[in-house]
Amino acid sequence: MFLEPHFKGQRSGWIEVICGSMFSGKTEELIRRLKRAKIANQKVEIFKPKVDTRFDERKVVSHDKNSILAMPISHSKKLLDITEGIGVVGIDEAQFFDSDLPEVCQAMALRGKRVIVAGLDMDFRGQPFGPMPDLLAVAEYITKVHAICQHCGNLATHSYRLAADGNTVLLGEKDSYEARCRTCYHMGNILNLRVRESESLRK
Ligand code: ZN
């Protein structure tokens, strides 16, 4: 389990990234860290991209209903103006932010803030998602959380999409995605490909 670092002398800022597939508990881990910072009397705020509108506009809502108020932001650069005086900056659904987010997080860390970023590391195609790979490269601390594969019970790293829609920004819920291990994820993609091939042959 991640424990907050201790400092000798001058305290500086840093970046933590919590990543993983859908249903891996990223938001729960973000909330856990922010609640601990709150108990330590630090000023805490959470932000999320404006595109993520499922459930409630103002809340970071995780699947277990453990929620904290969050502010929707249209562009990551706005964070530089509105985080004055905030010691711990939480960012949820970071994969949907623009490509300036890694630079913005580094600027906030240089200003002495603890920046905790949670997001999907891969999209449903198994590709690195939005600004996440760059964030992983510049972070001091990385935690990859795992879901459980809904097919075989092994650790899951991939988000398998059940819906046949070409849009990556399809906001995930239980009926459109499954957490899968690498093998079950690829087996599903091969099966889907075969179904599509046989459908196109019938046309
Ligand atoms: Zn599996």
Side-chain angles (χ1 to χ4, degrees):
M1 186 183 285
F2 182 85
L3 290 175
E4 298 77 3
H6 290 277
F7 285 93
K8 284 180 185 162
Q10 195 191 342
R11 197 195 121 120
S12 58
W14 70 90
I15 301 170
E16 297 163 33
V17 175
I18 304 161
C19 67
S21 68
M22 299 199 63
F23 316 115
S24 61
K26 298 178 298 297
T27 302
E28 290 85 347
E29 177 59 16
L30 174 67
I31 290 170
R32 185 187 75 84
R33 293 184 193 184
L34 291 167
K35 282 186 171 167
R36 284 166 65 85
K38 250 187 192 172
I39 293 166
N41 288 320
Q42 287 170 314
K43 197 156 189 284
V44 167
E45 284 292 343
I46 307 182
F47 304 92
K48 63 177 184 178
K50 225 168 198 164
V51 65
D52 180 26
T53 53
R54 64 186 147 150
F55 309 122
D56 193 304
E57 258 295 308
R58 293 151 295 136
K59 285 179 184 169
V60 166
V61 183
S62 68
H63 298 286
D64 68 356
K65 303 277 194 290
N66 190 358
S67 63
I68 296 189
L69 284 174
M71 193 189 288
I73 299 290
S74 56
H75 195 280
S76 63
K77 278 190 173 159
K78 285 196 174 163
L79 288 167
L80 296 171
D81 304 324
I82 57 177
T83 54
E84 188 112 350
I86 298 166
V88 185
V89 177
I91 297 168
D92 198 29
E93 302 284 0
Q95 75 277 359
F96 292 137
F97 265 110
D98 51 90
S99 59
D100 289 326
L101 185 64
E103 202 185 312
V104 167
C105 288
Q106 297 208 81
M108 289 193 291
L110 270 177
R111 292 178 186 176
K113 298 179 195 309
R114 176 184 178 193
V115 183
I116 315 175
V117 184
L120 288 166
D121 44 13
M122 285 182 274
D123 63 20
F124 72 93
R125 296 165 303 182
Q127 298 298 312
F129 208 152
M132 290 301 286
D134 288 2
L135 281 162
L136 287 163
V138 299
E140 274 88 347
Y141 305 101
I142 296 165
T143 304
K144 187 149 180 162
V145 283
H146 297 94
I148 298 296
C149 177
Q150 286 168 249
H151 276 252
C152 72
N154 284 327
L155 286 182
T157 45
H158 289 65
S159 306
Y160 181 79
R161 195 170 64 173
L162 303 165
D165 172 336
N167 182 10
T168 319
V169 192
L170 176 71
L171 299 177
E173 261 324 292
K174 276 182 181 148
D175 53 350
S176 31
Y177 289 93
E178 275 180 6
R180 290 197 180 188
C181 69
R182 185 184 291 278
T183 305
C184 295
Y185 171 80
H186 282 286
M187 290 302 285
N189 281 347
I190 290 166
L191 277 175
N192 267 345
L193 197 66
R194 286 198 187 140
V195 168
R196 263 183 268 135
E197 276 170 359
S198 66
E199 276 172 356
S200 67
L201 281 176
R202 257 182 270 139
K203 275 174 197 167

